Amino acid sequence: MDRDAGAELAALAKVVARQRAEMERLRDLAATSAVLERAKGVLMAVTGCTPDTAHEELLQRAKDGNRTLLEQCWLTLGALPPKERPAAPSAPPAATPAPVGSWASAPGGTLGLTDVLGHVGRDLVRVGSPHELAGCLLDHLAPEVDADAVMLYERLPEGGLTLIGHAGIDPTLAAQWQHVPPVTGVPALDALRTGEPRWLENVAEDRARYLLIGVPPERWLTRAWLPVSTGDTASVALGVLRRRGGPFEARERELLRAVARLCAGRLRAFDSPQDGRAANVSQTVQAVFDALPGAVILLTPLRSAAGEVEDYRIDAATPEAIDVFGRSGRAMVGSRILESYPSVAGEPLWQGYLQALETGNPFEGEPFAYQDVIGEVPVTATYTVRAARLGDGLVVTWLRHDPVERQEQRLADVQRLGNLGWANWNLITQEISWAVQTYTVLGRQPGQRPVRLERLPDLALAEDKGPLAHAIAELVSRGRAFDVPFRMETTGGVRHLRMVAEAVTAPDGTPVEVHGFVQDLSAQRSAELALVESERAMLLQRGILQAERALAARLQHALLPLPDKPRQLAGLRIEVAYLPSQTGIHVGGDWFSAIELPDSEALFVVGDVAGHGIDAVATMAQLRFTAKGMVSTGSSLTGALSRLNQLLLHSRDGQTTATMVLARYDPERRILAWAQAGHPPPLLVRRGEVRFLDRPGGMLLGATAAPVYESLELRLAPGDRLLLYTDGLVERPGEGIDAGFARLGEAVRAHGHGESGSLDALLATMLADERRDDVCVLDIRVPLDDLRDAEGPAETDA
């Protein structure tokens, strides 16, 4: 197993070595590319040629002189004249002919294109940043095209722009236009999208099309934005702003295009000087790191094209820093963090690096175990990593925890979190040792002397001193361990404590040392007392509610007596069922009436008062007796509903509502007139057909001060069955009311119709599940032997 692991480690080391060699080759290539870009810029400045033509010219010169390309580039750069501009324009070298189609001089003593670009090219190779580049361009373009300001914008991956260099504008304006979002109407973005310059020469028209830089925009009357290609596509826009009005002349446009091409090579070469400066910084830091103790490394983030951190390069390391290959100190410099510490990828430590790099706030991770190899023996150690930003990089410190210190820290954490502390009493030497947390639990200051074991009961309340003193005496004399709760008085109130102790005995059994712990259980005890009090309150409330239910049930039974068998009323067979809910301890407000009126007609009522308890029963009784009284004294059904609505509106709280069906039956004509107030429709069974009656208009009682109630008439036929019911029969949690109506219709069809239908069987089917509301059903049936004339409409408006 160890031999296989060593072979895999050796193979991995070879892969890493190849990667390191490739990195060195790429680093050399990058340095060569920087020199090549400088040389190409010189040729482009002198001849005005394109980047590809300049590259081909350098290759040809290197071949003709039997030199390498790098040697030719250095020779080209070494032939540059001093930076000072000559008094008179100098002609281009004889070996470099002027480009076809370009102008060599301009009227009025102005320098020709070749001369201007030659001066610009010689100065550009000496600039070290885009900001310096903008200043250099302004120096050369001010006398040539009357430029007053130069700006350089770089396109961001998400499509916006960032200002990377400027000259001729104040810092406040530069800060305001530092970042430009990817919106329409930005000339610099248009130039980069199309690859063509944008000439803004009429400020009145331009401000209607574009977002113009400057307040007011008339500060610069004309502007030019040109794309600068630093790769396959243009990624930098060059802006030239002028206070002078008028269009750009053909000579000025050609010059600006040539300058934009000339800037491309210089922008590509900016990375190499930055790497050089970073290397200088790393060398300085490495000299400091050589004298530092501990494991410390300096990391430089390596980003993808989208700007995301893909890895980190180790640019400096202390002698005690070591990686998985055994390299330490300077030997680690140049390697990547995922090579030296591959296990950090995707871990919280990696996220901590990103957090410290992005926010600037130091990151300190949780302690973690890491396996080191010491003397060819794997040793697992505990580390804490701290990362802090230094410039654009990170300083990462690895702190190794000593096992003893770590164990003590864990013990301290356990005592703090458990609110307990250990204590030792040496019965021979009288030495006493307490943990810091023990002082906190016993309410004493760390500077005070620990309490002797026999004096410990003095801290307890008077009623708890005896049991604690007896337990300590048994422990000291007989070595009996104990676990005793006790209370003590503190400035914050009574504290509930628990003490557990045992004795260490000599060979003859004599106790010589006592060790144990004391724990603060005040929070737990408070929670237990609160739970007991809550249970007591719940039991009391439950008793009150049960008493209320019993009272309400007795009151309901007294006000709404149920017949024990079907009865005859106005030639109809009447059966009533009332089933209370099976959940909760309150009775509801469902009710019914089936009485004979003075004129031998019959009154049928089914109602439902919102709510439960005594209030609902009282409201039910009020509505039941009032409805019977009004209809018995000649009030119409709709008039009775209107008066009942006013009764609820003027009740004690004005918030009670109720639903109701009122029906009056004329046995001579077999006409049932009925009205409703927000109640479910009656169900009619006739000759095997089951249907719900169309409801007349009517708002539930107590909902509005001006309701409109209507009534309908129904002619009953022999064998008809009519069900009046409350909503508890059809409602189910999570189910629509239409589904409840459909279920009721199917249950009636399944259990017969007319005189053969069983109300008990119907209720058993409909109420198979637990009832959450009261149910009241009034089952009205017309006997089959009723042979009176059944002609006439089945339903009519009243």
Side-chain angles (χ1 to χ4, degrees):
M1 180 67 70
D2 293 340
R3 186 179 298 107
D4 293 340
E8 293 177 0
L9 188 61
L12 181 59
K14 292 180 180 179
V15 173
V16 174
R18 288 196 299 269
Q19 292 177 344
R20 187 179 301 109
E22 178 65 12
M23 288 296 297
E24 295 295 332
R25 186 187 66 82
L26 293 175
R27 190 176 293 111
D28 293 340
L29 180 60
T32 303
S33 299
V35 177
L36 176 61
E37 293 297 333
R38 291 188 185 184
K40 286 168 58 178
V42 171
L43 287 184
M44 292 169 61
V46 173
T47 65
C49 63
T50 65
D52 292 338
T53 303
H55 186 263
E56 293 296 330
E57 178 65 21
L58 287 172
L59 289 175
Q60 186 62 41
R61 292 186 182 184
K63 182 179 179 180
D64 294 341
N66 195 23
R67 292 183 290 268
T68 65
L69 178 60
L70 184 59
E71 291 172 342
Q72 183 61 49
C73 291
W74 283 118
L75 287 175
T76 302
L77 294 175
L80 289 174
K83 182 178 180 180
E84 289 75 10
R85 186 173 295 182
S90 58
T96 309
V100 178
S102 68
W103 37 264
S105 63
T110 307
L111 293 177
L113 174 63
T114 303
D115 296 326
V116 175
L117 293 178
H119 295 157
V120 174
R122 280 189 290 271
D123 287 347
L124 286 186
V125 297
R126 297 182 176 90
V127 300
S129 67
H131 195 71
E132 294 179 9
L133 174 61
C136 179
L137 293 179
L138 182 60
D139 291 342
H140 288 279
L141 295 179
E144 298 297 332
V145 298
D146 291 334
D148 295 297
V150 170
M151 304 181 74
L152 289 171
Y153 272 109
E154 183 177 18
R155 179 158 48 188
L156 297 173
E158 60 270 19
L161 297 175
T162 183
L163 185 64
I164 61 174
H166 62 85
I169 64 173
D170 58 86
T172 301
L173 184 62
Q176 293 172 348
W177 289 85
Q178 180 68 36
H179 299 286
V180 179
V183 297
T184 58
V186 178
L189 274 174
D190 278 358
L192 291 177
R193 291 191 188 107
T194 62
E196 296 295 332
R198 287 291 179 264
W199 309 100
L200 283 63
E201 300 168 330
N202 187 322
V203 70
E205 296 178 359
D206 296 335
R207 70 187 303 176
R209 299 171 52 200
Y210 295 112
L211 297 173
L212 299 182
I213 296 174
V215 180
E218 292 79 2
R219 179 177 180 181
W220 292 294
L221 297 177
T222 54
R223 310 153 191 255
W225 289 97
L226 301 99
V228 180
S229 178
T230 58
D232 296 335
T233 59
S235 59
V236 176
L238 167 63
V240 178
L241 292 75
R242 305 192 307 183
R243 291 190 177 91
R244 175 171 67 84
F248 288 89
E249 300 176 358
R251 170 186 174 277
E252 294 173 335
R253 293 193 178 197
E254 188 173 358
L255 174 61
L256 291 179
R257 287 191 179 97
V259 169
R261 291 194 300 269
L262 187 62
C263 292
R266 194 70 199 103
L267 288 170
R268 285 196 296 267
F270 278 146
D271 290 340
S272 294
Q274 292 174 356
D275 290 344
R277 288 194 299 274
N280 293 335
V281 173
S282 300
Q283 293 174 4
T284 303
V285 174
Q286 181 61 59
V288 176
F289 276 28
D290 288 340
L292 289 179
V296 186
I297 55 177
L298 173 65
L299 302 181
T300 297
L302 303 177
R303 300 181 181 273
S304 65
E308 298 179 353
V309 176
E310 295 181 328
D311 204 343
Y312 296 88
R313 184 180 65 245
I314 300 177
D315 285 339
T318 59
E320 294 185 24
I322 188 171
D323 63 9
V324 295
F325 303 107
R327 297 174 301 190
S328 62
R330 289 178 175 265
M332 298 171 57
V333 174
S335 61
R336 298 192 176 194
I337 193 66
L338 293 182
E339 296 175 6
S340 300
Y341 306 100
S343 62
V344 304
E347 296 296 325
L349 181 60
W350 183 268
Q351 301 300 325
Y353 285 175
L354 293 177
Q355 175 185 337
L357 190 64
E358 294 173 358
T359 65
N361 298 324
F363 163 79
E364 184 166 345
E366 293 292 333
F368 66 95
Y370 193 86
Q371 190 177 72
D372 289 336
V373 178
I374 301 177
E376 299 182 356
V377 177
V379 177
T380 301
T382 302
Y383 290 89
T384 295
V385 176
R386 187 177 189 275
R389 191 169 71 185
L390 176 64
D392 294 331
L394 288 175
V395 175
V396 179
T397 306
W398 292 53
L399 302 176
R400 179 173 177 174
H401 297 279
D402 182 77
V404 176
E405 295 177 354
R406 183 60 182 162
Q407 192 69 22
E408 292 180 353
Q409 181 61 43
R410 288 176 179 173
L411 179 59
D413 291 341
V414 169
Q415 293 182 91
R416 176 177 52 83
L417 296 174
N419 204 5
L420 57 86
W422 59 264
N424 286 340
W425 289 271
N426 191 308
L427 305 180
I428 305 300
T429 64
Q430 301 301 316
E431 293 180 359
I432 305 175
S433 299
W434 279 8
V436 176
Q437 192 67 23
T438 307
Y439 289 88
T440 303
V441 172
L442 293 177
R444 300 178 67 83
Q445 297 298 324
Q448 294 180 289
R449 295 183 59 184
V451 179
R452 295 173 60 88
L453 182 60
E454 63 272 15
R455 305 298 301 176
L456 199 60
D458 294 341
L459 301 178
L461 294 181
E463 53 267 34
D464 294 339
K465 288 183 179 180
L468 182 58
H470 176 73
I472 293 175
E474 289 291 313
L475 175 67
V476 173
S477 61
R478 301 184 181 182
R480 292 182 179 178
F482 67 81
D483 184 343
V484 176
F486 66 97
R487 294 165 296 169
M488 63 176 295
E489 186 73 40
T490 65
T491 55
V494 175
R495 186 174 294 177
H496 295 263
L497 305 180
R498 170 198 181 198
M499 185 172 181
V500 179
E502 64 180 6
V504 178
T505 61
D508 59 356
T510 303
V512 295
E513 188 175 359
V514 173
H515 56 78
F517 68 86
V518 59
Q519 184 177 15
D520 188 350
L521 301 177
S522 299
Q524 178 181 343
R525 183 58 177 165
S526 297
E528 292 173 353
L529 293 176
L531 180 60
V532 171
E533 186 62 28
S534 176
E535 291 177 348
R536 183 183 296 112
M538 289 177 60
L539 291 175
L540 178 61
Q541 183 65 21
R542 186 176 184 84
I544 294 174
L545 293 177
Q546 288 176 338
E548 180 183 342
R549 175 185 173 84
L551 176 61
R554 288 195 297 270
L555 178 62
Q556 185 185 49
H557 182 71
L559 298 174
L560 190 67
L562 294 175
D564 55 359
K565 62 182 179 178
R567 54 178 294 195
Q568 298 291 325
L569 183 63
L572 302 176
R573 180 179 180 274
I574 311 300
E575 188 175 358
V576 178
Y578 180 86
L579 301 174
S581 67
Q582 295 175 324
T583 60
I585 60 174
H586 291 297
V587 295
D590 292 17
W591 56 281
F592 73 94
S593 283
I595 63 171
E596 184 175 353
L597 298 176
D599 53 5
S600 300
E601 295 185 353
L603 174 66
F604 304 109
V605 188
V606 170
D608 185 2
V609 177
H612 295 81
I614 294 178
D615 291 341
V617 174
T619 303
M620 175 270 290
Q622 189 177 29
L623 292 177
R624 182 170 185 262
F625 291 116
T626 302
K628 290 167 56 177
M630 286 191 295
V631 177
S632 298
T633 56
S635 294
S636 65
L637 300 179
T638 57
L641 289 177
S642 297
R643 291 182 177 87
L644 293 174
N645 180 73
Q646 293 297 322
L647 178 65
L648 285 186
L649 288 176
H650 295 86
S651 61
R652 286 168 296 175
D653 56 4
Q655 303 296 322
T656 304
T657 59
T659 65
M660 184 184 301
V661 171
L662 281 175
R664 183 168 186 160
Y665 178 66
D666 182 356
E668 293 297 327
R669 298 186 300 138
R670 290 202 311 276
I671 297 295
L672 182 76
W674 70 287
Q676 64 87 31
H679 201 83
L683 182 143
L684 175 65
V685 183
R686 175 173 291 172
R687 291 188 292 275
E689 179 186 356
V690 179
R691 69 182 181 92
F692 292 93
L693 301 183
D694 294 333
R695 296 194 309 171
M699 180 70 68
L700 78 164
L701 302 177
T704 178
V708 176
Y709 296 104
E710 301 174 351
S711 66
L712 292 175
E713 290 186 350
L714 171 69
R715 179 181 293 275
L716 297 180
D720 282 357
R721 182 183 185 185
L722 189 68
L723 290 180
L724 307 182
Y725 53 91
T726 57
D727 55 7
L729 182 65
V730 293
E731 287 185 346
R732 292 291 182 276
E735 180 183 75
I737 190 64
D738 291 338
F741 288 150
R743 189 173 62 255
L744 176 59
E746 290 298 326
V748 171
R749 292 188 187 95
H751 294 88
H753 54 84
E755 293 183 341
S756 63
S758 171
L759 181 59
D760 291 339
L762 173 65
L763 295 177
T765 300
M766 291 295 297
L767 306 176
D769 299 330
E770 182 181 62
R771 295 187 300 278
R772 298 187 177 224
D773 198 1
D774 295 355
V775 176
C776 182
V777 181
L778 190 60
D779 189 357
I780 304 172
R781 310 190 193 204
V782 181
L784 286 173
D785 58 359
D786 190 346
L787 302 179
R788 285 172 290 185
D789 183 20
E791 296 180 359
E795 286 190 61
T796 60
D797 291 332

